[in-house]
Amino acid sequence: RMNVKKISTGSQALDGLLAGGIETRTMTEFFGEFGSGKTQLCHQLSVNVQLPPEKGGLSGKAVYIDTEGTFRWERIENMAKALGLDIDNVMNNIYYIRAINTDHQIAIVDDLQELVSKDPSIKLIVVDSVTSHFRAEYPGRENLAVRQQKLNKHLHQLTRLAEVYDIAVIITNQVMARPDMFYGDPTVAVGGHTLYHVPGIRIQLKKSRGNRRIARVVDAPHLPEGEVVFALTEEGIRD
Ligand code: ADP
Ligand code: MG
């Protein structure tokens, strides 16, 4: 775990849960129900990675792979403005790529090797969401084995990019809300143990009152247990 760098989420509570923020050389999964804040966190981290180290960033660029069409430049603008950053700069430092199906998503990640070796200022790769095309194209139990195999290969490729190029990789995964999920085995809710054996940090997100959200780290021996509350605001992720 040497030489790991951190990107602030914008919430001190969430950063505290993560011992400083999202790590480079690591794949971090945000999973949770619709509206739990996964996409907002991906937007915020794409802006925050650009901040200087003393403000919680890495003075870096982001690659944003959007599989669901939920990326909004307007959110980036609002978040950049709230931090007093130059909006055009911030937008130029995000490589936005829309992935239309699994083959495309896999091909994009295949090609990233070249991009990140050419541009070492890339410090964050987002895949929001990593699972939606796989679920749509390989539905049901009968396709589970093939889906797992393809998805695992894709995830290991992302993990390697993180490790080799000192990049923070964030993936998201939408799961159903279940009352017992937070205290039961969350992997069961993922629809098979899809992401279970992949290395990295898993953060479960849950809706709370109004704009409040709850985050919990799952299965990370080096991080303290417990939950924190953060807020989704017009300006971005806050306490
Ligand atoms: P997920 O990706 O987990 O489905 P999102 O990250 O898209 O969820 O979160 C959606 C929520 O983010 C909305 O319900 C709202 O609470 C908040 N949100 C989105 N845009 C804004 C905004 N412009 N101002 C304030 N809150 C917003
Ligand atoms: Mg989303």
Side-chain angles (χ1 to χ4, degrees):
R1 304 189 44 72
M2 268 182 22
N3 301 320
V4 161
K5 302 178 192 78
K6 309 264 185 169
I7 308 166
S8 168
T9 61
S11 153
Q12 283 188 22
L14 191 48
D15 286 351
L17 185 76
L18 297 167
I22 296 299
E23 296 181 352
T24 62
R25 304 185 185 225
T26 305
M27 185 163 72
T28 301
E29 176 192 347
F30 292 117
F31 70 101
E33 67 194 286
F34 176 78
S36 59
K38 303 180 295 294
T39 296
Q40 295 305 307
L41 273 160
C42 292
H43 281 71
Q44 187 72 63
L45 286 157
S46 300
V47 173
N48 287 10
V49 69
Q50 303 185 38
L51 290 166
E54 66 271 19
K55 290 192 172 156
L58 299 174
S59 300
K61 297 182 190 170
V63 172
Y64 199 111
I65 303 168
D66 178 18
T67 72
E68 297 178 333
T70 52
F71 179 85
R72 296 288 177 273
W73 286 110
E74 187 200 325
R75 293 299 293 135
I76 298 295
E77 275 188 60
N78 288 341
M79 291 174 179
K81 201 183 289 178
L83 293 170
L85 296 171
D86 182 275
I87 290 168
D88 289 335
N89 256 340
V90 169
M91 301 209 292
N92 284 330
N93 288 337
I94 299 173
Y95 294 91
Y96 173 79
I97 312 169
R98 174 83 162 97
I100 58 167
N101 56 35
T102 53
D103 284 346
H104 189 212
Q105 185 177 332
I106 290 164
I108 290 164
V109 172
D110 283 341
D111 291 346
L112 275 187
Q113 166 105 23
E114 200 185 328
L115 182 66
V116 298
S117 51
K118 264 193 212 145
D119 189 346
S121 61
I122 293 170
K123 286 286 137 204
L124 174 69
I125 297 170
V126 171
V127 188
D128 183 30
S129 89
V130 81
T131 42
S132 55
H133 287 319
F134 285 90
R135 288 218 179 93
E137 288 172 43
Y138 302 97
R141 283 208 75 79
E142 65 274 29
N143 293 309
L144 190 63
V146 179
R147 184 175 85 193
Q148 305 269 89
Q149 191 196 3
K150 292 209 174 207
L151 186 55
N152 281 339
K153 185 167 176 243
H154 182 58
L155 294 172
H156 279 104
Q157 221 169 345
L158 285 163
T159 306
R160 258 194 77 68
L161 286 175
E163 288 169 353
V164 173
Y165 295 97
D166 190 25
I167 290 171
V169 169
I170 298 171
I171 58 173
T172 70
N173 180 23
Q174 188 155 305
V175 303
M176 305 281 207
R178 272 182 14 180
D180 59 327
M181 195 173 114
F182 235 52
Y183 302 101
D185 176 4
T187 60
V188 173
V190 180
H193 293 73
T194 311
L195 305 181
Y196 192 58
H197 297 293
V198 173
I201 296 174
R202 308 188 63 215
I203 300 163
Q204 189 168 22
L205 301 175
K206 202 178 133 185
K207 285 183 191 168
S208 185
R209 281 187 190 196
N211 69 348
R212 317 303 291 170
R213 298 293 183 274
I214 299 167
R216 184 178 83 125
V217 176
V218 178
D219 306 327
H222 67 287
L223 293 175
E225 288 195 17
E227 305 180 344
V228 298
V229 177
F230 65 97
L232 303 177
T233 76
E234 176 72 24
E235 289 75 36
I237 306 296
R238 293 291 185 274
D239 279 303

